Amino acid sequence: GKVDFEGYVYISSTQVAPNDGLKFASKPNWDGPNFGDDGSKSGKISDTGGNIGIENPGYYKINVDTTAKTYPLTATSWAIIGNATAGGWSTETPMTYNPKTKKWTVIATLTTQAAPDNGLKFRANNAWDIDLGDTGNDGVLEYKGTNISTTAGTYTIELDLSNPRNYKYTLTKN
């Protein structure tokens, strides 16, 4: 069976420790093995573990490996970057998360740029550790994927990370 899981989740201020926390459930109804912190608070899980306390609200990338018994959590904030954007490749343009739509959005003026050498990408935390591009130009994002081609204009840009490992984006001309 599958042992390596990934997803993004928004943790609100009412869900942070000590009020709440989270566990990883193998079934939607809690009837299967459920994994929580093994007590060490070191990123290890156990099927008898307690709730995993999140200290700060935010948007988290979560990877769970039920064989290695690990659950790295990475707080993320997203932006666009590239020579199609006002900041070029050196200054990213921050996006804003909307918990209702479960999407990151920004309105930006873009220039015409052609992939693979030019265009834009999505990246997290003002660093290249987590970046998404569109290899194959199919609207589905991949880690370290190809730059996204752009046509000049002002766009509403949306990043949707709500469907695990099927990350999508839209560029809608205003």
Side-chain angles (χ1 to χ4, degrees), residues 57-74:
Y59 195 79
Y60 288 84
K61 178 180 186 273
I62 302 176
N63 293 83
V64 179
D65 185 321
T66 57
T67 298
K69 304 277 194 228
T70 58
Y71 68 95
L73 301 172
T74 305

Side-chain angles (χ1 to χ4, degrees), residues 96-105 158-161 170:
T96 302
Y97 183 70
N98 182 331
K100 289 185 175 54
T101 64
K102 298 183 179 178
K103 294 178 182 176
W104 289 87
T105 61
E158 293 183 315
L159 172 62
D160 184 353
L161 304 174
T170 58

Side-chain angles (χ1 to χ4, degrees), residues 13-139:
S13 59
T14 61
Q15 297 170 309
V16 295
N19 303 330
D20 219 335
L22 61 90
K23 280 190 174 183
F24 305 110
S26 62
K27 296 184 179 179
N29 60 9
W30 295 99
D31 285 346
N34 302 300
F35 297 91
D37 189 87
D38 72 354
S40 68
K41 302 208 183 307
S42 65
K44 296 282 192 176
I45 54 172
S46 162
D47 59 3
T48 59
N51 280 358
I52 297 166
I54 307 293
E55 297 299 321
N56 298 302
Y59 195 79
Y60 288 84
K61 178 180 186 273
I62 302 176
N63 293 83
V64 179
D65 185 321
T66 57
T67 298
K69 304 277 194 228
T70 58
Y71 68 95
L73 301 172
T74 305
T76 61
S77 61
W78 286 86
I80 56 172
I81 192 165
N83 62 344
T85 70
W89 288 108
S90 59
T91 304
E92 61 183 34
T93 305
M95 302 182 83
T96 302
Y97 183 70
N98 182 331
K100 289 185 175 54
T101 64
K102 298 183 179 178
K103 294 178 182 176
W104 289 87
T105 61
V106 64
I107 296 173
T109 300
L110 305 176
T111 62
T112 299
Q113 299 291 339
D117 296 331
N118 300 293
L120 69 82
K121 291 185 104 173
F122 297 93
R123 76 173 185 178
N125 303 336
N126 201 27
W128 289 106
D129 299 340
I130 305 171
D131 78 79
L132 295 166
D134 184 3
T135 302
N137 194 29
D138 58 3

